[in-house]
Amino acid sequence: MDKPVCLIETASDGKMFVQQSALQLLEQIQQPVVVVAIVGLYRTGKSYLMNRLAGKQTGFALGSTIESKTKGVWMWCMPHPTKAGTTLVLLDTEGLGDVDKGDSKHDTRIFSLAVLLSSTLVLNSRGIIDNRAIEEMQYVTELTEYIKIKSPDEVVDDAEFVKFFPSFIWAVRDFTLQLNIDGKDATEDEYLEFALKLKLGNSIQVNNYNLPRECIRKYFPSRKCFTFPFPTSPENVSFLETLDPAEISKRFLEVTNCFCQFIFDQSQVKNLKDGHTVTGRVLGHLAKTYVDTISSGAVPCLENAVIAMATIENEAAFQEGLEVYQSGMEKLKKSFPLELNEITLEHQCFTLMATQTFMQRSFRDHEGKYLTSLEETINCQYDQYLWDNEKASEAKCESLISVLSEPMTERINEGFYARAGGYDLFCQDLEDIVNQYNALAYQEVKIAEVLETFLQQKVAVTTAILKADDKLSENERRICEERERAVLLEQEIKALKARRHQLEEKMVTEQQNNEERVRQVIQMMEEEMSFQQQETKRAMDSKLREQAALMEKGFQEKANKMACEMEQLWRKKKEAEDRKSREFAKMIANQERRNAENMEVLRQQHREKIEAIKRRPRPASRFCTTQ
């Protein structure tokens, strides 16, 4: 994208809707996305910082008057400058507190959307972080009313939010104070923590003072602060995007560069609850889901969004996996007929690629519904490709044997064999045809069956020639008839053995494919479990830091409460791990059961072929030899 586009538009009546053109752009982004959103009061220079993150002087609209320029949420996508294979998505939100709107709920919805969509949230403000600045961020205290982790009917401790909320950066603009606390030099992060320090006591005033600070401390797992000095002289501030760098404060540019580099290095790829990596396509679905939910008057729910995304992504993953298999097999089909083992190897290769493609996009397919559907569809299509290959092989074999037998057919039509000694001549010609056919068609899967059909078709001719040969005695004719029957019987057995061999190949393929699917399911389970553990560790580390800070400042009661929250988090982690282990164990068991059922069907077919071969009498030695 060479410039930003509107992702979420705010209509004149305050209603929000997602721009279809922006969704189409996101749909094309298959890479993971790092999403950086900026929020803050209007006319505080948010757009300038986002333009710098984009590496541009201009892009997001900067206003030079008291009127807010950005309405809704604007988006700018570009290759991530330091993370290969990743897209950086910048979201510039409309200014909060705009007097033209007169709707604080709308501001909270914008703030909530920024939290829901981002992996890093930048809060932009001017001056200092004092009580007034924090009170202006009342949106933080309302987050739990505008965002739910699970369905509204289900009670969830708001401490859970720390597991799913973005990293938090407070960018303080036009900062003029010395970073000094209690007479000692302090870092910007220490300054932020000092501003978020709680007061002791339980009065209404103290509780009101503590509430927004507690929410910021509780909800955001990592916090960072940057203090920006005045960028230039007051009269030039309105024209910041057009100023020559020489006219901008060197210190301001240094802080801006540090701010950008920190975001590039530290901002993480956006993940859904349960660890599914968000791509541009998924981000678009999320934006539409959340905005549609808000527009309907409901509260966005992380769990519901994940369920909705799982349905969309699993259906798409099924289609993508199937397309990978079909694309490969359709190219192979152009070379039909092929040897069975060649088709088998290619089938296994494309099946593996299809499963991998499915696994990369799917998530929450805990019952294996979509994976099973993919497996069954591929197996059905594999049977169809085998049939197509057999038909191609059959046509090739029939054409070959027709060409080889053409001279003999002409002799038959001319009555060449209808004479004394004609039977021996016919048998010699027939044996030559069979030998040539076997030499030329040895790789064909239908070699035996086509030859069997050919010999069956020659039975009437062979009988007629045998009867017409006056050179043979009646006894010799009976011996020849027995030998002819032996020839047909032997060829029939060869055809049955060829079909049995094909079944054996299919059984081996099915077993290998099942082992690979189980391996991939286990790998997926381990990755999901690992992410959940990281998710919980992130939350636990945050709470441990908060607990230590509370104890240090004398908030023993709050520290004890934090300990209970950590215990509850740990318990839920164990419950989630146990539940997921049961889900995957069931999924693997179902996979094994389906494989056992499929293998039993193939074994039964194999047994039937063996029994059919056993029921045939042993062929006698023959006069007309065939291979």
Short mmCIF file of all heavy atoms in Angstrom, two decimals, residues 296-319:
data_model
loop_
_atom_site.label_atom_id
_atom_site.label_comp_id
_atom_site.label_asym_id
_atom_site.label_seq_id
_atom_site.Cartn_x
_atom_site.Cartn_y
_atom_site.Cartn_z
N SER A 296 -24.56 -3.99 16.23
CA SER A 296 -25.81 -4.65 16.61
C SER A 296 -26.21 -4.34 18.05
O SER A 296 -27.28 -4.75 18.50
CB SER A 296 -25.67 -6.16 16.44
OG SER A 296 -24.81 -6.70 17.44
N GLY A 297 -25.34 -3.63 18.75
CA GLY A 297 -25.64 -3.29 20.14
C GLY A 297 -25.10 -4.31 21.13
O GLY A 297 -25.29 -4.15 22.33
N ALA A 298 -24.42 -5.34 20.63
CA ALA A 298 -23.87 -6.37 21.52
C ALA A 298 -22.43 -6.02 21.90
O ALA A 298 -21.85 -5.06 21.39
CB ALA A 298 -23.93 -7.73 20.84
N VAL A 299 -21.85 -6.84 22.76
CA VAL A 299 -20.48 -6.63 23.24
C VAL A 299 -19.55 -7.62 22.54
O VAL A 299 -19.82 -8.83 22.55
CB VAL A 299 -20.39 -6.82 24.77
CG1 VAL A 299 -18.96 -6.65 25.26
CG2 VAL A 299 -21.31 -5.85 25.47
N PRO A 300 -18.46 -7.13 21.91
CA PRO A 300 -17.52 -8.06 21.27
C PRO A 300 -16.99 -9.08 22.27
O PRO A 300 -16.65 -8.73 23.41
CB PRO A 300 -16.39 -7.14 20.78
CG PRO A 300 -17.02 -5.80 20.64
CD PRO A 300 -18.05 -5.73 21.73
N CYS A 301 -16.94 -10.32 21.84
CA CYS A 301 -16.52 -11.41 22.71
C CYS A 301 -15.36 -12.15 22.06
O CYS A 301 -15.47 -12.62 20.91
CB CYS A 301 -17.69 -12.36 22.96
SG CYS A 301 -17.26 -13.87 23.81
N LEU A 302 -14.23 -12.23 22.77
CA LEU A 302 -13.05 -12.89 22.21
C LEU A 302 -13.33 -14.34 21.86
O LEU A 302 -12.93 -14.83 20.81
CB LEU A 302 -11.90 -12.82 23.22
CG LEU A 302 -11.32 -11.43 23.50
CD1 LEU A 302 -10.31 -11.51 24.62
CD2 LEU A 302 -10.68 -10.85 22.27
N GLU A 303 -14.05 -15.04 22.74
CA GLU A 303 -14.35 -16.45 22.51
C GLU A 303 -15.20 -16.64 21.27
O GLU A 303 -14.92 -17.48 20.41
CB GLU A 303 -15.05 -17.04 23.73
CG GLU A 303 -15.40 -18.52 23.61
CD GLU A 303 -14.20 -19.42 23.71
OE1 GLU A 303 -13.13 -18.96 24.12
OE2 GLU A 303 -14.33 -20.61 23.35
N ASN A 304 -16.26 -15.81 21.15
CA ASN A 304 -17.14 -15.92 19.98
C ASN A 304 -16.40 -15.58 18.69
O ASN A 304 -16.63 -16.19 17.65
CB ASN A 304 -18.35 -14.99 20.14
CG ASN A 304 -19.29 -15.47 21.23
OD1 ASN A 304 -19.20 -16.61 21.69
ND2 ASN A 304 -20.19 -14.60 21.66
N ALA A 305 -15.52 -14.57 18.79
CA ALA A 305 -14.74 -14.20 17.60
C ALA A 305 -13.83 -15.34 17.17
O ALA A 305 -13.69 -15.63 15.98
CB ALA A 305 -13.90 -12.95 17.89
N VAL A 306 -13.23 -16.02 18.15
CA VAL A 306 -12.36 -17.16 17.83
C VAL A 306 -13.16 -18.29 17.20
O VAL A 306 -12.72 -18.91 16.22
CB VAL A 306 -11.63 -17.65 19.10
CG1 VAL A 306 -10.91 -18.97 18.84
CG2 VAL A 306 -10.63 -16.61 19.59
N ILE A 307 -14.36 -18.54 17.74
CA ILE A 307 -15.21 -19.60 17.17
C ILE A 307 -15.59 -19.26 15.73
O ILE A 307 -15.55 -20.11 14.84
CB ILE A 307 -16.48 -19.78 18.04
CG1 ILE A 307 -16.10 -20.38 19.40
CG2 ILE A 307 -17.49 -20.68 17.34
CD1 ILE A 307 -17.24 -20.40 20.41
N ALA A 308 -15.97 -17.99 15.51
CA ALA A 308 -16.34 -17.56 14.16
C ALA A 308 -15.16 -17.67 13.21
O ALA A 308 -15.29 -18.15 12.07
CB ALA A 308 -16.86 -16.12 14.19
N MET A 309 -13.97 -17.24 13.68
CA MET A 309 -12.76 -17.32 12.85
C MET A 309 -12.41 -18.77 12.57
O MET A 309 -11.97 -19.12 11.48
CB MET A 309 -11.59 -16.64 13.54
CG MET A 309 -11.66 -15.13 13.62
SD MET A 309 -11.91 -14.32 12.02
CE MET A 309 -13.65 -13.97 12.12
N ALA A 310 -12.60 -19.64 13.58
CA ALA A 310 -12.27 -21.05 13.40
C ALA A 310 -13.11 -21.66 12.29
O ALA A 310 -12.60 -22.41 11.45
CB ALA A 310 -12.49 -21.82 14.71
N THR A 311 -14.40 -21.33 12.26
CA THR A 311 -15.29 -21.86 11.21
C THR A 311 -14.83 -21.37 9.84
O THR A 311 -14.69 -22.17 8.90
CB THR A 311 -16.74 -21.41 11.47
OG1 THR A 311 -17.17 -21.92 12.74
CG2 THR A 311 -17.66 -21.95 10.38
N ILE A 312 -14.57 -20.07 9.74
CA ILE A 312 -14.15 -19.49 8.46
C ILE A 312 -12.82 -20.08 8.02
O ILE A 312 -12.65 -20.49 6.87
CB ILE A 312 -14.04 -17.95 8.59
CG1 ILE A 312 -15.43 -17.33 8.78
CG2 ILE A 312 -13.38 -17.35 7.35
CD1 ILE A 312 -15.41 -15.85 9.13
N GLU A 313 -11.86 -20.10 8.94
CA GLU A 313 -10.52 -20.55 8.59
C GLU A 313 -10.46 -22.05 8.32
O GLU A 313 -9.74 -22.50 7.43
CB GLU A 313 -9.54 -20.18 9.71
CG GLU A 313 -9.25 -18.69 9.79
CD GLU A 313 -8.59 -18.16 8.53
OE1 GLU A 313 -7.40 -18.43 8.32
OE2 GLU A 313 -9.29 -17.49 7.74
N ASN A 314 -11.20 -22.85 9.07
CA ASN A 314 -11.17 -24.29 8.85
C ASN A 314 -11.81 -24.67 7.52
O ASN A 314 -11.34 -25.58 6.83
CB ASN A 314 -11.87 -25.02 10.00
CG ASN A 314 -11.03 -25.04 11.26
OD1 ASN A 314 -9.80 -24.98 11.19
ND2 ASN A 314 -11.66 -25.12 12.41
N GLU A 315 -12.89 -23.97 7.17
CA GLU A 315 -13.50 -24.22 5.86
C GLU A 315 -12.54 -23.82 4.74
O GLU A 315 -12.40 -24.53 3.74
CB GLU A 315 -14.82 -23.45 5.74
CG GLU A 315 -15.94 -24.03 6.61
CD GLU A 315 -17.20 -23.19 6.59
OE1 GLU A 315 -17.17 -22.08 6.01
OE2 GLU A 315 -18.22 -23.63 7.17
N ALA A 316 -11.88 -22.67 4.93
CA ALA A 316 -10.91 -22.23 3.93
C ALA A 316 -9.70 -23.15 3.90
O ALA A 316 -9.14 -23.44 2.84
CB ALA A 316 -10.48 -20.80 4.22
N ALA A 317 -9.27 -23.63 5.08
CA ALA A 317 -8.13 -24.55 5.16
C ALA A 317 -8.45 -25.85 4.42
O ALA A 317 -7.58 -26.42 3.74
CB ALA A 317 -7.78 -24.83 6.62
N PHE A 318 -9.68 -26.33 4.58
CA PHE A 318 -10.11 -27.54 3.86
C PHE A 318 -9.99 -27.33 2.36
O PHE A 318 -9.45 -28.17 1.63
CB PHE A 318 -11.56 -27.87 4.24
CG PHE A 318 -12.20 -28.90 3.35
CD1 PHE A 318 -11.99 -30.25 3.56
CD2 PHE A 318 -13.00 -28.52 2.28
CE1 PHE A 318 -12.56 -31.21 2.73
CE2 PHE A 318 -13.58 -29.46 1.44
CZ PHE A 318 -13.36 -30.80 1.67
N GLN A 319 -10.50 -26.19 1.88
CA GLN A 319 -10.46 -25.90 0.44
C GLN A 319 -9.02 -25.75 -0.05
O GLN A 319 -8.67 -26.26 -1.12
CB GLN A 319 -11.26 -24.62 0.14
CG GLN A 319 -12.77 -24.78 0.28
CD GLN A 319 -13.34 -25.82 -0.68
OE1 GLN A 319 -12.81 -26.03 -1.78
NE2 GLN A 319 -14.40 -26.48 -0.27
#
